[in-house]
PDB file of all heavy atoms in Angstrom:
ATOM      1  N   SER A   1      -7.128 -57.328  19.201  1.00 85.00           N
ATOM      2  CA  SER A   1      -7.671 -56.039  19.767  1.00 85.00           C
ATOM      3  C   SER A   1      -7.004 -54.835  19.104  1.00 85.00           C
ATOM      4  O   SER A   1      -7.475 -53.768  19.203  1.00 85.00           O
ATOM      5  CB  SER A   1      -7.339 -55.991  21.302  1.00 85.00           C
ATOM      6  OG  SER A   1      -5.991 -56.140  21.513  1.00 85.00           O
ATOM      7  N   SER A   2      -5.815 -55.085  18.457  1.00 88.00           N
ATOM      8  CA  SER A   2      -5.166 -53.901  17.843  1.00 88.00           C
ATOM      9  C   SER A   2      -5.819 -53.517  16.487  1.00 88.00           C
ATOM     10  O   SER A   2      -6.251 -54.419  15.709  1.00 88.00           O
ATOM     11  CB  SER A   2      -3.703 -54.227  17.510  1.00 88.00           C
ATOM     12  OG  SER A   2      -3.592 -55.435  16.625  1.00 88.00           O
ATOM     13  N   ASN A   3      -5.863 -52.227  16.242  1.00 91.00           N
ATOM     14  CA  ASN A   3      -6.363 -51.731  15.025  1.00 91.00           C
ATOM     15  C   ASN A   3      -5.493 -51.869  13.868  1.00 91.00           C
ATOM     16  O   ASN A   3      -4.213 -51.559  13.951  1.00 91.00           O
ATOM     17  CB  ASN A   3      -6.624 -50.199  15.166  1.00 91.00           C
ATOM     18  CG  ASN A   3      -8.182 -49.963  15.474  1.00 91.00           C
ATOM     19  OD1 ASN A   3      -8.937 -50.855  15.532  1.00 91.00           O
ATOM     20  ND2 ASN A   3      -8.541 -48.649  15.739  1.00 91.00           N
ATOM     21  N   LYS A   4      -6.002 -52.485  12.655  1.00 95.00           N
ATOM     22  CA  LYS A   4      -5.146 -52.615  11.533  1.00 95.00           C
ATOM     23  C   LYS A   4      -5.583 -51.507  10.575  1.00 95.00           C
ATOM     24  O   LYS A   4      -4.849 -50.888   9.797  1.00 95.00           O
ATOM     25  CB  LYS A   4      -5.464 -54.007  10.783  1.00 95.00           C
ATOM     26  CG  LYS A   4      -4.941 -55.161  11.656  1.00 95.00           C
ATOM     27  CD  LYS A   4      -3.508 -55.106  12.053  1.00 95.00           C
ATOM     28  CE  LYS A   4      -2.649 -55.358  10.611  1.00 95.00           C
ATOM     29  NZ  LYS A   4      -1.169 -55.397  11.023  1.00 95.00           N
ATOM     30  N   ILE A   5      -6.866 -51.192  10.496  1.00 96.00           N
ATOM     31  CA  ILE A   5      -7.373 -50.146   9.589  1.00 96.00           C
ATOM     32  C   ILE A   5      -8.422 -49.308  10.335  1.00 96.00           C
ATOM     33  O   ILE A   5      -9.301 -49.877  11.110  1.00 96.00           O
ATOM     34  CB  ILE A   5      -8.097 -50.693   8.286  1.00 96.00           C
ATOM     35  CG1 ILE A   5      -7.023 -51.396   7.414  1.00 96.00           C
ATOM     36  CG2 ILE A   5      -8.663 -49.574   7.516  1.00 96.00           C
ATOM     37  CD1 ILE A   5      -7.645 -52.125   6.193  1.00 96.00           C
ATOM     38  N   ARG A   6      -8.266 -47.870  10.200  1.00 95.00           N
ATOM     39  CA  ARG A   6      -9.344 -47.080  10.859  1.00 95.00           C
ATOM     40  C   ARG A   6      -9.749 -46.035   9.789  1.00 95.00           C
ATOM     41  O   ARG A   6      -8.885 -45.368   9.054  1.00 95.00           O
ATOM     42  CB  ARG A   6      -8.719 -46.345  12.051  1.00 95.00           C
ATOM     43  CG  ARG A   6      -9.921 -45.558  12.692  1.00 95.00           C
ATOM     44  CD  ARG A   6      -9.410 -45.094  13.976  1.00 95.00           C
ATOM     45  NE  ARG A   6      -8.554 -43.806  13.856  1.00 95.00           N
ATOM     46  CZ  ARG A   6      -9.118 -42.509  13.917  1.00 95.00           C
ATOM     47  NH1 ARG A   6     -10.392 -42.372  14.141  1.00 95.00           N
ATOM     48  NH2 ARG A   6      -8.305 -41.555  13.781  1.00 95.00           N
ATOM     49  N   LEU A   7     -11.144 -45.952   9.503  1.00 96.00           N
ATOM     50  CA  LEU A   7     -11.594 -44.959   8.544  1.00 96.00           C
ATOM     51  C   LEU A   7     -12.473 -43.968   9.320  1.00 96.00           C
ATOM     52  O   LEU A   7     -13.252 -44.456  10.173  1.00 96.00           O
ATOM     53  CB  LEU A   7     -12.416 -45.621   7.443  1.00 96.00           C
ATOM     54  CG  LEU A   7     -11.677 -46.664   6.613  1.00 96.00           C
ATOM     55  CD1 LEU A   7     -12.594 -47.292   5.630  1.00 96.00           C
ATOM     56  CD2 LEU A   7     -10.555 -46.196   5.906  1.00 96.00           C
ATOM     57  N   LYS A   8     -12.471 -42.693   8.910  1.00 95.00           N
ATOM     58  CA  LYS A   8     -13.380 -41.731   9.702  1.00 95.00           C
ATOM     59  C   LYS A   8     -13.625 -40.672   8.604  1.00 95.00           C
ATOM     60  O   LYS A   8     -12.670 -40.053   7.968  1.00 95.00           O
ATOM     61  CB  LYS A   8     -12.808 -41.142  10.869  1.00 95.00           C
ATOM     62  CG  LYS A   8     -13.860 -40.256  11.519  1.00 95.00           C
ATOM     63  CD  LYS A   8     -13.442 -39.870  12.860  1.00 95.00           C
ATOM     64  CE  LYS A   8     -14.363 -38.836  13.611  1.00 95.00           C
ATOM     65  NZ  LYS A   8     -15.725 -39.466  13.693  1.00 95.00           N
ATOM     66  N   ASP A   9     -14.887 -40.382   8.112  1.00 95.00           N
ATOM     67  CA  ASP A   9     -15.317 -39.435   7.173  1.00 95.00           C
ATOM     68  C   ASP A   9     -14.456 -39.670   5.950  1.00 95.00           C
ATOM     69  O   ASP A   9     -13.972 -38.714   5.293  1.00 95.00           O
ATOM     70  CB  ASP A   9     -15.062 -37.994   7.738  1.00 95.00           C
ATOM     71  CG  ASP A   9     -15.942 -37.682   8.992  1.00 95.00           C
ATOM     72  OD1 ASP A   9     -17.112 -38.285   8.965  1.00 95.00           O
ATOM     73  OD2 ASP A   9     -15.558 -36.975   9.873  1.00 95.00           O
ATOM     74  N   PHE A  10     -14.382 -40.874   5.486  1.00 96.00           N
ATOM     75  CA  PHE A  10     -13.620 -41.346   4.474  1.00 96.00           C
ATOM     76  C   PHE A  10     -14.359 -41.409   3.202  1.00 96.00           C
ATOM     77  O   PHE A  10     -15.553 -41.897   3.159  1.00 96.00           O
ATOM     78  CB  PHE A  10     -12.937 -42.758   4.753  1.00 96.00           C
ATOM     79  CG  PHE A  10     -12.136 -43.403   3.667  1.00 96.00           C
ATOM     80  CD1 PHE A  10     -10.843 -42.935   3.400  1.00 96.00           C
ATOM     81  CD2 PHE A  10     -12.678 -44.339   2.809  1.00 96.00           C
ATOM     82  CE1 PHE A  10     -10.160 -43.451   2.346  1.00 96.00           C
ATOM     83  CE2 PHE A  10     -11.856 -44.781   1.815  1.00 96.00           C
ATOM     84  CZ  PHE A  10     -10.580 -44.453   1.555  1.00 96.00           C
ATOM     85  N   THR A  11     -13.893 -40.855   2.045  1.00 96.00           N
ATOM     86  CA  THR A  11     -14.541 -40.778   0.843  1.00 96.00           C
ATOM     87  C   THR A  11     -13.589 -41.186  -0.343  1.00 96.00           C
ATOM     88  O   THR A  11     -12.441 -40.822  -0.431  1.00 96.00           O
ATOM     89  CB  THR A  11     -15.137 -39.417   0.490  1.00 96.00           C
ATOM     90  OG1 THR A  11     -15.916 -38.922   1.452  1.00 96.00           O
ATOM     91  CG2 THR A  11     -15.796 -39.372  -0.888  1.00 96.00           C
ATOM     92  N   GLY A  12     -14.009 -42.039  -1.278  1.00 96.00           N
ATOM     93  CA  GLY A  12     -13.327 -42.504  -2.413  1.00 96.00           C
ATOM     94  C   GLY A  12     -13.912 -41.783  -3.655  1.00 96.00           C
ATOM     95  O   GLY A  12     -15.205 -41.876  -3.747  1.00 96.00           O
ATOM     96  N   PHE A  13     -13.160 -41.276  -4.639  1.00 95.00           N
ATOM     97  CA  PHE A  13     -13.705 -40.641  -5.845  1.00 95.00           C
ATOM     98  C   PHE A  13     -13.415 -41.287  -7.064  1.00 95.00           C
ATOM     99  O   PHE A  13     -12.287 -41.934  -7.142  1.00 95.00           O
ATOM    100  CB  PHE A  13     -13.131 -39.127  -5.886  1.00 95.00           C
ATOM    101  CG  PHE A  13     -13.587 -38.266  -4.810  1.00 95.00           C
ATOM    102  CD1 PHE A  13     -12.844 -38.291  -3.455  1.00 95.00           C
ATOM    103  CD2 PHE A  13     -14.630 -37.276  -4.835  1.00 95.00           C
ATOM    104  CE1 PHE A  13     -13.253 -37.399  -2.451  1.00 95.00           C
ATOM    105  CE2 PHE A  13     -14.921 -36.506  -3.876  1.00 95.00           C
ATOM    106  CZ  PHE A  13     -14.233 -36.578  -2.725  1.00 95.00           C
ATOM    107  N   ARG A  14     -14.242 -41.123  -8.022  1.00 90.00           N
ATOM    108  CA  ARG A  14     -13.829 -41.593  -9.456  1.00 90.00           C
ATOM    109  C   ARG A  14     -14.064 -40.143 -10.227  1.00 90.00           C
ATOM    110  O   ARG A  14     -15.175 -39.678 -10.318  1.00 90.00           O
ATOM    111  CB  ARG A  14     -14.766 -42.654 -10.125  1.00 90.00           C
ATOM    112  CG  ARG A  14     -14.553 -44.084  -9.380  1.00 90.00           C
ATOM    113  CD  ARG A  14     -15.433 -45.130 -10.221  1.00 90.00           C
ATOM    114  NE  ARG A  14     -15.160 -46.479  -9.671  1.00 90.00           N
ATOM    115  CZ  ARG A  14     -14.127 -47.195  -9.969  1.00 90.00           C
ATOM    116  NH1 ARG A  14     -13.363 -46.963 -11.161  1.00 90.00           N
ATOM    117  NH2 ARG A  14     -14.023 -48.449  -9.577  1.00 90.00           N
ATOM    118  N   GLY A  15     -12.891 -39.738 -10.662  1.00 89.00           N
ATOM    119  CA  GLY A  15     -12.809 -38.337 -11.186  1.00 89.00           C
ATOM    120  C   GLY A  15     -13.221 -37.468  -9.994  1.00 89.00           C
ATOM    121  O   GLY A  15     -12.692 -37.570  -8.900  1.00 89.00           O
ATOM    122  N   ASN A  16     -14.190 -36.503 -10.228  1.00 91.00           N
ATOM    123  CA  ASN A  16     -14.499 -35.612  -9.092  1.00 91.00           C
ATOM    124  C   ASN A  16     -15.789 -35.975  -8.446  1.00 91.00           C
ATOM    125  O   ASN A  16     -16.316 -35.369  -7.547  1.00 91.00           O
ATOM    126  CB  ASN A  16     -14.779 -34.162  -9.728  1.00 91.00           C
ATOM    127  CG  ASN A  16     -13.536 -33.599 -10.196  1.00 91.00           C
ATOM    128  OD1 ASN A  16     -12.479 -33.650  -9.633  1.00 91.00           O
ATOM    129  ND2 ASN A  16     -13.567 -32.974 -11.437  1.00 91.00           N
ATOM    130  N   THR A  17     -16.279 -37.323  -8.780  1.00 93.00           N
ATOM    131  CA  THR A  17     -17.598 -37.759  -8.162  1.00 93.00           C
ATOM    132  C   THR A  17     -17.354 -38.583  -7.018  1.00 93.00           C
ATOM    133  O   THR A  17     -16.641 -39.780  -7.149  1.00 93.00           O
ATOM    134  CB  THR A  17     -18.403 -38.466  -9.313  1.00 93.00           C
ATOM    135  OG1 THR A  17     -18.524 -37.661 -10.414  1.00 93.00           O
ATOM    136  CG2 THR A  17     -19.804 -38.805  -8.688  1.00 93.00           C
ATOM    137  N   PRO A  18     -17.831 -38.370  -5.842  1.00 96.00           N
ATOM    138  CA  PRO A  18     -17.759 -39.285  -4.651  1.00 96.00           C
ATOM    139  C   PRO A  18     -18.474 -40.562  -4.976  1.00 96.00           C
ATOM    140  O   PRO A  18     -19.666 -40.480  -5.328  1.00 96.00           O
ATOM    141  CB  PRO A  18     -18.352 -38.525  -3.533  1.00 96.00           C
ATOM    142  CG  PRO A  18     -19.233 -37.477  -4.170  1.00 96.00           C
ATOM    143  CD  PRO A  18     -18.603 -37.204  -5.464  1.00 96.00           C
ATOM    144  N   LYS A  19     -17.836 -41.724  -4.828  1.00 95.00           N
ATOM    145  CA  LYS A  19     -18.408 -42.993  -5.210  1.00 95.00           C
ATOM    146  C   LYS A  19     -18.613 -43.871  -3.957  1.00 95.00           C
ATOM    147  O   LYS A  19     -19.478 -44.864  -3.944  1.00 95.00           O
ATOM    148  CB  LYS A  19     -17.600 -43.638  -6.202  1.00 95.00           C
ATOM    149  CG  LYS A  19     -17.794 -43.055  -7.578  1.00 95.00           C
ATOM    150  CD  LYS A  19     -19.184 -43.105  -8.195  1.00 95.00           C
ATOM    151  CE  LYS A  19     -19.265 -42.628  -9.708  1.00 95.00           C
ATOM    152  NZ  LYS A  19     -20.605 -42.845 -10.064  1.00 95.00           N
ATOM    153  N   ILE A  20     -17.792 -43.768  -2.867  1.00 97.00           N
ATOM    154  CA  ILE A  20     -17.958 -44.545  -1.798  1.00 97.00           C
ATOM    155  C   ILE A  20     -17.639 -43.709  -0.504  1.00 97.00           C
ATOM    156  O   ILE A  20     -16.598 -42.902  -0.412  1.00 97.00           O
ATOM    157  CB  ILE A  20     -16.835 -45.818  -1.849  1.00 97.00           C
ATOM    158  CG1 ILE A  20     -17.112 -46.787  -0.777  1.00 97.00           C
ATOM    159  CG2 ILE A  20     -15.397 -45.378  -1.812  1.00 97.00           C
ATOM    160  CD1 ILE A  20     -18.463 -47.534  -1.034  1.00 97.00           C
ATOM    161  N   GLN A  21     -18.337 -43.966   0.517  1.00 97.00           N
ATOM    162  CA  GLN A  21     -18.145 -43.190   1.782  1.00 97.00           C
ATOM    163  C   GLN A  21     -18.296 -43.983   2.959  1.00 97.00           C
ATOM    164  O   GLN A  21     -19.163 -44.890   3.094  1.00 97.00           O
ATOM    165  CB  GLN A  21     -19.264 -41.968   1.912  1.00 97.00           C
ATOM    166  CG  GLN A  21     -19.126 -40.962   0.765  1.00 97.00           C
ATOM    167  CD  GLN A  21     -20.147 -39.905   0.881  1.00 97.00           C
ATOM    168  OE1 GLN A  21     -21.245 -40.250   0.922  1.00 97.00           O
ATOM    169  NE2 GLN A  21     -19.773 -38.549   1.102  1.00 97.00           N
ATOM    170  N   ALA A  22     -17.431 -43.965   3.910  1.00 97.00           N
ATOM    171  CA  ALA A  22     -17.468 -44.672   5.178  1.00 97.00           C
ATOM    172  C   ALA A  22     -17.384 -43.610   6.337  1.00 97.00           C
ATOM    173  O   ALA A  22     -16.256 -42.973   6.479  1.00 97.00           O
ATOM    174  CB  ALA A  22     -16.334 -45.649   5.296  1.00 97.00           C
ATOM    175  N   GLU A  23     -18.461 -43.419   7.105  1.00 95.00           N
ATOM    176  CA  GLU A  23     -18.425 -42.504   8.125  1.00 95.00           C
ATOM    177  C   GLU A  23     -17.427 -42.861   9.299  1.00 95.00           C
ATOM    178  O   GLU A  23     -16.709 -41.973   9.703  1.00 95.00           O
ATOM    179  CB  GLU A  23     -19.903 -42.282   8.691  1.00 95.00           C
ATOM    180  CG  GLU A  23     -19.866 -41.305   9.852  1.00 95.00           C
ATOM    181  CD  GLU A  23     -21.300 -41.246  10.368  1.00 95.00           C
ATOM    182  OE1 GLU A  23     -22.332 -41.743   9.800  1.00 95.00           O
ATOM    183  OE2 GLU A  23     -21.462 -40.566  11.531  1.00 95.00           O
ATOM    184  N   CYS A  24     -17.486 -44.119   9.706  1.00 95.00           N
ATOM    185  CA  CYS A  24     -16.590 -44.628  10.771  1.00 95.00           C
ATOM    186  C   CYS A  24     -16.458 -46.156  10.673  1.00 95.00           C
ATOM    187  O   CYS A  24     -17.545 -46.822  10.766  1.00 95.00           O
ATOM    188  CB  CYS A  24     -17.155 -44.171  12.149  1.00 95.00           C
ATOM    189  SG  CYS A  24     -16.033 -44.691  13.545  1.00 95.00           S
ATOM    190  N   ALA A  25     -15.245 -46.576  10.608  1.00 96.00           N
ATOM    191  CA  ALA A  25     -15.103 -48.059  10.504  1.00 96.00           C
ATOM    192  C   ALA A  25     -13.712 -48.414  11.007  1.00 96.00           C
ATOM    193  O   ALA A  25     -12.690 -47.865  10.782  1.00 96.00           O
ATOM    194  CB  ALA A  25     -15.206 -48.587   9.097  1.00 96.00           C
ATOM    195  N   GLU A  26     -13.583 -49.540  11.692  1.00 95.00           N
ATOM    196  CA  GLU A  26     -12.388 -50.072  12.312  1.00 95.00           C
ATOM    197  C   GLU A  26     -12.101 -51.596  11.885  1.00 95.00           C
ATOM    198  O   GLU A  26     -13.164 -52.317  11.931  1.00 95.00           O
ATOM    199  CB  GLU A  26     -12.355 -49.975  13.779  1.00 95.00           C
ATOM    200  CG  GLU A  26     -12.253 -48.485  14.169  1.00 95.00           C
ATOM    201  CD  GLU A  26     -12.134 -48.308  15.739  1.00 95.00           C
ATOM    202  OE1 GLU A  26     -12.340 -49.357  16.446  1.00 95.00           O
ATOM    203  OE2 GLU A  26     -11.826 -47.179  16.258  1.00 95.00           O
ATOM    204  N   VAL A  27     -11.050 -52.024  11.580  1.00 96.00           N
ATOM    205  CA  VAL A  27     -10.647 -53.448  11.265  1.00 96.00           C
ATOM    206  C   VAL A  27      -9.692 -53.798  12.247  1.00 96.00           C
ATOM    207  O   VAL A  27      -8.587 -53.119  12.355  1.00 96.00           O
ATOM    208  CB  VAL A  27     -10.257 -53.568   9.935  1.00 96.00           C
ATOM    209  CG1 VAL A  27     -10.039 -55.057   9.598  1.00 96.00           C
ATOM    210  CG2 VAL A  27     -11.362 -52.962   8.911  1.00 96.00           C
ATOM    211  N   LYS A  28      -9.813 -54.947  13.057  1.00 94.00           N
ATOM    212  CA  LYS A  28      -8.873 -55.424  13.956  1.00 94.00           C
ATOM    213  C   LYS A  28      -7.910 -56.471  13.337  1.00 94.00           C
ATOM    214  O   LYS A  28      -8.327 -57.059  12.238  1.00 94.00           O
ATOM    215  CB  LYS A  28      -9.545 -56.057  15.183  1.00 94.00           C
ATOM    216  CG  LYS A  28     -10.533 -55.035  15.833  1.00 94.00           C
ATOM    217  CD  LYS A  28      -9.806 -53.960  16.578  1.00 94.00           C
ATOM    218  CE  LYS A  28     -10.665 -53.095  17.358  1.00 94.00           C
ATOM    219  NZ  LYS A  28     -10.080 -51.916  17.904  1.00 94.00           N
TER     220      LYS A  28
END
């Protein structure tokens, strides 16, 4: 039940270009 990873409005970039986006995600 415990959170290991939490993402919110998360963006990963290559250079200045956004390449991956996660609005909301949780990993237990």
